[in-house]
């Protein structure tokens, strides 16, 4: 019935003040509130792991820093490691959105492209913003198979695939031997770099990244010449 309709006899006794319902109170946007809370939790986890380290990081501390209840965190994540993994994924997404990562270059010069990306990896490993969560996830993933699988699938494999894609283009261009094992080549580039960073056996520098590229591609190029 519209407001202009003639009221029925049974409704004519209703008082004017009660004939129009009061406007409903506006409810908060629950989805937006959840997104804000979620992001506050992820930011808190990243900040705290850099301040106190992974061993002293607790769900209680994350909740307090984020301004949420502890049960809010447990509703979304089973452990502090799981929170940290999603925080690292969000951090990587932020870097991509901010233009810090524009994709793997393909200038036609394989050595230059690899050195460019490995130097950026060195800078990231040496940046406190990335180093603390990366070390924490590496350690946690070694003892938590489920977390380790998620870390590999969601964070590590997409990065390795970019290296493989660039090497595949180089192989198709005749810059690498036709039988070059792409995954093995990627591991030969990143394995020593990660080992030096993780074990702190020596400074992690651009010069070291360049030397790795030269050593790995030197062997691969020799294979290409031998097969030609």
């Amino acid at each position: 019935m519209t407001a202009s309709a003639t009221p029925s006899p049974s409704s004519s006794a209703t008082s004017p003040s009660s004939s129009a319902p009061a406007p409903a109170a506006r409810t908060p946007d629950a989805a937006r509130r959840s997104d804000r809370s979620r992001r506050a939790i992820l930011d808190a986890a990243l900040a705290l792991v850099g301040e106190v380290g992974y061993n002293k990081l607790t769900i209680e501390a994350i909740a307090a820093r984020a301004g949420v209840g502890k049960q809010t965190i447990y509703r979304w994540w089973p452990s502090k490691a799981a929170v940290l993994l999603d925080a690292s994924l969000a951090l990587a997404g932020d870097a991509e959105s901010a233009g810090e990562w524009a994709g793997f270059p393909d200038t036609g010069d394989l050595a230059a492209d690899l050195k460019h990306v490995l130097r950026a990896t060195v800078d990231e490993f040496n940046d406190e913003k990335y180093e603390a969560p990366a070390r924490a996830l590496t350690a946690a993933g070694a003892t938590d198979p489920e977390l380790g699988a998620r870390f590999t699938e969601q964070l590590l494999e997409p990065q390795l695939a970019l290296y493989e894609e660039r090497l595949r283009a180089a192989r198709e261009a005749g810059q690498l031997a036709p039988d070059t094992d792409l995954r093995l080549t990627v591991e030969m580039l990143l394995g020593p770099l990660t080992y030096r960073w993780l074990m702190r056996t020596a400074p992690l520098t651009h010069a070291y990244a360049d030397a790795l590229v030269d050593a790995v591609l030197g062997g691969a190029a020799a294979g290409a010449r031998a097969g030609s």
Side-chain angles (χ1 to χ4, degrees):
M1 179 181 296
T2 63
S4 60
T6 303
S8 64
S10 60
S11 62
S12 60
T14 306
S15 65
S17 60
S18 62
S19 60
R26 297 184 64 182
T27 58
D29 186 338
R32 187 176 302 173
R33 188 172 66 247
S34 293
D35 287 343
R36 285 198 302 267
S37 297
R38 185 181 182 88
R39 189 59 203 235
I41 292 166
L42 299 181
D43 290 343
L46 289 172
L48 285 169
V49 76
E51 294 171 14
V52 304
Y54 182 71
N55 288 339
K56 294 182 179 179
L57 180 68
T58 64
I59 292 293
E60 289 79 5
I62 295 172
R65 176 69 63 92
V68 302
K70 184 172 64 173
Q71 292 307 315
T72 298
I73 297 179
Y74 281 121
R75 186 164 63 244
W76 289 328
W77 296 280
S79 66
K80 65 180 184 180
V83 177
L84 201 55
L85 175 58
D86 279 356
S88 296
L89 290 168
L91 188 61
D94 289 346
E96 186 173 344
S97 298
E100 296 177 26
W101 171 251
F104 213 111
D106 187 352
T107 64
D109 185 335
L110 178 61
D113 293 345
L114 290 173
K115 288 176 181 179
H116 174 79
V117 174
L118 278 187
R119 284 184 172 206
T121 302
V122 166
D123 292 341
E124 186 174 301
F125 276 159
N126 288 328
D127 186 336
E128 292 181 358
K129 179 173 65 175
Y130 296 97
E131 182 184 18
R135 286 187 179 278
L137 285 172
T138 301
T143 57
D144 184 335
E146 182 178 350
L147 178 73
R150 282 193 63 209
F151 175 78
T152 299
E153 178 186 355
Q154 297 180 256
L155 202 58
L156 185 59
E157 279 296 337
Q159 297 174 11
L160 298 180
L162 294 174
Y163 280 88
E164 288 193 28
E165 182 180 354
R166 180 63 187 89
L167 291 172
R168 184 175 294 105
R171 187 175 63 184
E172 293 172 354
Q175 297 171 337
L176 297 173
D179 61 349
T180 297
D181 186 321
L182 301 182
R183 175 51 66 98
L184 178 60
T185 304
V186 173
E187 291 176 348
M188 289 170 66
L189 286 166
L190 295 178
L193 192 78
T194 305
Y195 177 82
R196 178 175 284 206
W197 166 75
L198 188 61
M199 303 304 294
R200 296 188 173 97
T201 55
L204 198 59
T205 63
H206 287 180
Y208 179 65
D210 291 351
L212 274 177
V213 172
D214 290 339
V216 173
L217 291 189
R225 289 193 297 270
S228 62

